[in-house]
């Protein structure tokens, strides 16, 4: 006899899931216990939003879908932000919630609203489990969450049905997400011709390269054809950023764009590899004319965003597509005017980290301490834009952030999830002070999990990014400054270590010590207000 909840739990286990996060309510107890009995550990968090980011952190490390559990009503409402984030940041998140049985819903209103109606616009699908169809719904959910552009799938589980026996129909068939390579034909022949004749090729690579494991295909192509590479923030490290061809991450910094856009405009072949413009700001909108410049796109799913066009688009396996594109083509001399090297140098100068103290110095010191395969997460705010330029990744998937939704409050829980999934890897969360104050409760989660995550907080008593925008707009100071918090004391109160630092030496020592500790450490790094003026 197998219950509906057991069928779901065993299916997720078979899909590689080992961790679930959330806050229980009476309506999801059966589901939680089924998960635990199937071998998926349930972790209690302090907020459903943070729980979803922990699930995402696990996904980035393991590749298996993340699992978020919330009770009906307030639990669902609290999770909307992280579900929207999973939608915009292409995270295969399975969101399990309880709901009242259909017969009850007809005459009962306490805590009841239409979960599917709220979550519809921010999920790839919202399913309500149906008696007798659980297995096929499980397969549907896993397939939808992982195919093409991954994303969140919501599964509402009626209370009475969760524990109800279902007819056994054998083990779940898991989705086979193998994707097809573009077929040979006139389009591919045209694209190959464009590559053969290109003298100023440029590669722009994004997150889908990581989702499909096509990093080597991209890096090899770049090196063999001497193509400079721009990545999105989340795709940093596809080509190690110490490589002479790596031009770093782009998307949010207008100052970086001033060095990158001339290359985009001078290029005679723009190759888009798994590049998803949901992460880019206005500056990247319609920046090329595919009738004037050869633009060849390899993407996981058709593009309907309107952010840019392409001369040719190939949907499917990005790595196999790039291999077919280049097969047998002799690399020609590229960029004989040396423009990419000059841009790289200009970017290094623009985002120099040689200051005695300040936000770039903080990033620089931590980079020196954290090994190449260590994982960093970063929150939203001024600190993130600067960090994404200064921080160099030589391994992909080692800088986690919210880059589609750009939400605050993600860095700490992303770090918790990553550390749980890979306890042997050092993990540092960078966050602004307001972002950390949004998720302070998760320090208690971290304490209970006994994980040695180091949290570096940029303490400026300010919503620095918004304060900067406000001032630039000529508006008076309003709603962007706040009082000082003693984060080191907060850390101690919640069972961790806390250190306040204001020098490179003290920061370096505190981070190194924190990485070796068996509980969390907050390193509160004080910087001046308005420290980011003119810096991105
Ligand atoms: C949930 C959420 N609310 C508001 C914003 C708008 N926002 C973006 S950055 C920012 C300031 C963050 O301040 P802090 O965490 O201190 O980082 P700093 O900019 O000071 O580095 C705000 C309010 C957001 N991105 N997400
Ligand atoms: Mg701040």
């Amino acid at each position: 006899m197998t219950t509906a909840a057991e069928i779901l739990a065993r299916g997720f286990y078979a899909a590689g899931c080992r961790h679930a996060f959330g806050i229980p309510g009476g309506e999801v107890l059966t589901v939680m216990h089924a998960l635990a009995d199937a071998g998926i550990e349930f972790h209690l968090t302090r907020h459903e939003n943070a729980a979803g980011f922990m699930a995402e952190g696990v996904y980035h490390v393991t590749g298996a879908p993340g699992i978020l559990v919330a009770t009906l009503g307030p639990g669902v409402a609290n999770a909307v932000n992280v579900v929207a984030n999973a939608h915009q940041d292409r995270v295969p998140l399975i969101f399990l919630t309880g709901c009242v049985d259909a017969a009850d819903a007809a005459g009962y209103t306490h805590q009841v609203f239409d979960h599917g109606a709220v979550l519809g616009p921010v999920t790839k699908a919202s399913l309500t489990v149906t008696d007798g169809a659980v297995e096929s719904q499980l397969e549907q959910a896993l397939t939808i969450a992982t195919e093409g552009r991954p994303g969140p799938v919501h599964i509402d589980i009626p209370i009475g049905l969760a524990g109800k026996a279902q007819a056994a129909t054998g083990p779940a068939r898991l989705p086979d997400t193998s994707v097809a390579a573009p077929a040979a034909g006139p389009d591919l022949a045209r694209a190959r011709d464009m590559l053969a004749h290109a003298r100023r090729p440029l590669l722009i690579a994004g997150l889908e390269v990581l989702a499909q494991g096509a990093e080597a295909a991209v890096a090899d192509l770049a090196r063999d054809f001497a193509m400079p590479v721009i990545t999105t923030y989340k795709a940093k490290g596809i080509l190690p950023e110490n490589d002479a061809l790596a031009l770093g991450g782009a998307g949010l910094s207008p100052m970086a764009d001033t060095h990158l856009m001339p290359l985009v405009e001078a290029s005679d072949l723009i190759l888009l590899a798994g590049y998803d413009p949901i992460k880019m700001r206005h500056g990247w909108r319609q920046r090329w004319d595919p009738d004037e410049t050869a633009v060849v796109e390899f993407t996981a799913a058709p593009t309907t965003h309107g952010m840019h066009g392409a001369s040719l688009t190939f949907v499917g396996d990005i790595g196999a597509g790039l291999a077919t594109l280049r097969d047998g083509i002799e690399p020609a001399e590229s960029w004989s005017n040396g423009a990419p090297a000059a841009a790289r140098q200009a970017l290094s100068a623009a985002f120099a980290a040689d200051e005695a103290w300040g936000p770039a110095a903080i990033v620089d010191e931590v980079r020196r301490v954290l090994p190449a395969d260590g994982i960093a997460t970063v929150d939203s705010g001024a600190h993130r834009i600067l960090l994404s330029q200064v921080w160099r990744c030589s391994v992909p998937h080692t800088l986690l952030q919210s880059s589609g939704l750009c939400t605050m409050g993600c860095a700490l829980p992303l770090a918790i999830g990553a550390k749980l999934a890979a306890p042997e890897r050092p993990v540092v969360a960078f966050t602004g002070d307001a972002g950390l104050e949004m998720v302070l409760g998760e320090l208690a989660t971290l304490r209970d999990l006994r994980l040695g995550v180091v949290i570096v907080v940029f303490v400026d008593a300010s919503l620095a990014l918004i304060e900067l925008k406000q001032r630039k707009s000529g508006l008076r100071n309003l709603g962007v400054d706040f009082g000082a918090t003693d984060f080191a004391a907060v850390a101690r109160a919640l069972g961790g270590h806390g250190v306040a630092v204001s020098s490179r030496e003290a920061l370096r020592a505190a981070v190194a010590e924190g990485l070796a500790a068996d509980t969390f450490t907050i390193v509160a790094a004080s910087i001046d207000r308005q420290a980011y003026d003119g810096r991105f």
Side-chain angles (χ1 to χ4, degrees):
M1 221 35 132
T2 312
T3 66
E6 285 166 348
I7 291 175
L8 293 173
R10 289 173 194 175
F12 298 136
Y13 184 88
C17 308
R18 297 293 180 272
H19 301 277
F21 302 86
I23 301 184
E27 301 75 15
V28 284
L29 290 174
T30 308
V31 174
M32 280 168 49
H33 284 83
L35 290 172
D37 293 343
I40 299 173
E41 202 174 347
F42 180 82
H43 304 287
L44 171 65
T45 69
R46 301 310 188 271
H47 196 291
E48 290 82 352
N49 186 53
F53 282 110
M54 292 178 206
E56 177 181 342
V58 172
Y59 157 67
H60 287 303
V61 172
T62 67
I67 300 186
L68 165 63
V69 180
T71 195
L72 86 182
V76 171
N78 255 2
V80 170
N81 178 69
V82 75
V83 175
N85 186 81
H87 199 234
Q88 297 228 297
D89 279 66
R90 319 311 195 190
V91 178
L93 180 72
I94 302 290
F95 182 28
L96 303 175
T97 62
C99 62
V100 294
D101 294 302
D104 281 342
Y108 183 74
T109 51
H110 178 68
Q111 290 190 312
V112 173
F113 62 82
D114 185 343
H115 296 165
V118 172
L119 295 170
V122 290
T123 52
K124 286 180 83 179
S126 174
L127 317 171
T128 301
V129 174
T130 305
D131 204 0
V134 186
E135 215 149 309
S136 58
Q137 289 181 303
L138 163 75
E139 290 161 19
Q140 252 176 46
L142 285 170
T143 304
I144 295 169
T146 53
E147 64 82 36
R149 253 172 219 136
V153 173
H154 169 228
I155 306 180
D156 226 3
I157 310 166
I159 302 160
L161 181 54
K164 189 170 175 203
Q166 302 290 299
T169 53
R173 282 182 305 280
L174 296 176
D176 175 3
T177 51
S178 63
V179 277
D187 280 351
L188 202 52
R190 255 184 79 202
R192 286 169 51 76
D193 194 50
M194 288 170 173
L195 176 63
H197 288 96
R199 295 298 174 270
R200 294 179 307 283
L202 175 72
L203 227 161
I204 304 179
L207 191 54
E208 292 166 6
V209 170
L210 303 183
Q212 289 190 5
E215 296 91 334
V218 173
D220 289 350
L221 178 72
R223 289 196 181 106
D224 293 349
F225 284 76
M227 280 184 202
V229 177
I230 299 171
T231 68
T232 59
Y233 282 176
K234 265 188 157 167
K236 277 166 72 72
I238 285 179
L239 183 69
E241 291 189 303
N242 52 10
D243 193 297
L245 292 163
L247 295 175
L252 295 186
S253 162
M255 195 155 98
D257 290 351
T258 61
H259 301 291
L260 296 173
M261 278 306 164
L263 289 183
V264 171
E265 274 150 21
S267 173
D268 62 356
L269 172 63
I270 301 174
L271 261 182
L272 306 175
Y275 164 67
D276 182 347
I278 195 163
K279 291 169 271 176
M280 314 306 267
R281 299 205 66 150
H282 314 291
W284 282 79
R285 203 163 163 204
Q286 302 292 2
R287 288 309 293 249
W288 51 75
D289 179 351
D291 293 327
E292 299 274 314
T293 307
V295 181
V296 179
E297 175 174 44
F298 291 87
T299 177
T303 48
T304 53
H305 44 66
M307 277 282 286
H308 64 71
S311 321
L312 290 165
T313 293
F314 300 95
V315 176
D317 187 324
I318 296 160
L322 293 177
T324 320
L325 175 79
R326 62 171 292 180
D327 186 35
I329 294 178
E330 211 45 55
E333 192 198 357
S334 123
W335 293 96
S336 54
N337 65 357
R344 186 174 150 82
Q345 208 159 6
L347 281 164
S348 291
F351 297 100
D354 53 2
E355 61 188 355
W357 182 247
I362 294 168
V363 174
D364 182 45
E365 283 302 325
V366 180
R367 183 66 282 188
R368 287 166 196 271
V369 178
L370 195 70
D373 73 335
I375 298 169
T377 69
V378 62
D379 219 69
S380 274
H383 64 284
R384 172 172 81 118
I385 302 179
L386 187 68
L387 182 143
S388 295
Q389 299 300 328
V390 174
W391 186 259
R392 296 242 170 121
C393 293
S394 47
V395 177
H397 261 311
T398 53
L399 179 62
L400 312 182
Q401 55 182 287
S402 165
S403 58
L405 193 67
C406 287
T407 181
M408 292 164 69
C410 64
L412 173 60
L414 279 171
I416 295 175
K419 185 73 180 171
L420 253 181
E424 71 290 353
R425 289 171 71 179
V427 177
V428 173
F430 289 98
T431 174
D433 40 7
L436 180 57
E437 287 178 351
M438 214 176 245
V439 292
L440 281 179
E442 303 312 326
L443 295 172
T445 307
L446 200 42
R447 170 200 63 212
D448 295 347
L449 290 169
R450 302 192 63 76
L451 296 172
V453 170
V454 173
I455 300 139
V456 176
V457 51
F458 297 79
V459 183
D460 50 16
S462 165
L463 306 174
L465 184 62
I466 311 304
E467 189 278 335
L468 185 57
K469 288 181 184 174
Q470 195 174 59
R471 202 156 25 92
K472 273 192 176 164
S473 307
L475 294 164
R476 71 180 187 285
N477 183 286
L478 175 66
V480 291
D481 292 344
F482 47 90
T485 296
D486 182 348
F487 287 103
V490 169
R492 288 191 287 275
L494 285 161
H497 302 301
V499 194
V501 300
S502 52
S503 74
R504 282 181 176 258
E505 297 69 32
L507 172 75
R508 193 183 319 150
V511 172
E513 208 172 306
L515 288 174
D518 58 2
T519 185
F520 74 87
T521 302
I522 292 186
V523 180
S526 297
I527 55 172
D528 291 339
R529 277 206 174 127
Q530 306 186 355
Y532 300 94
D533 284 20
R535 300 201 58 175
F536 50 73

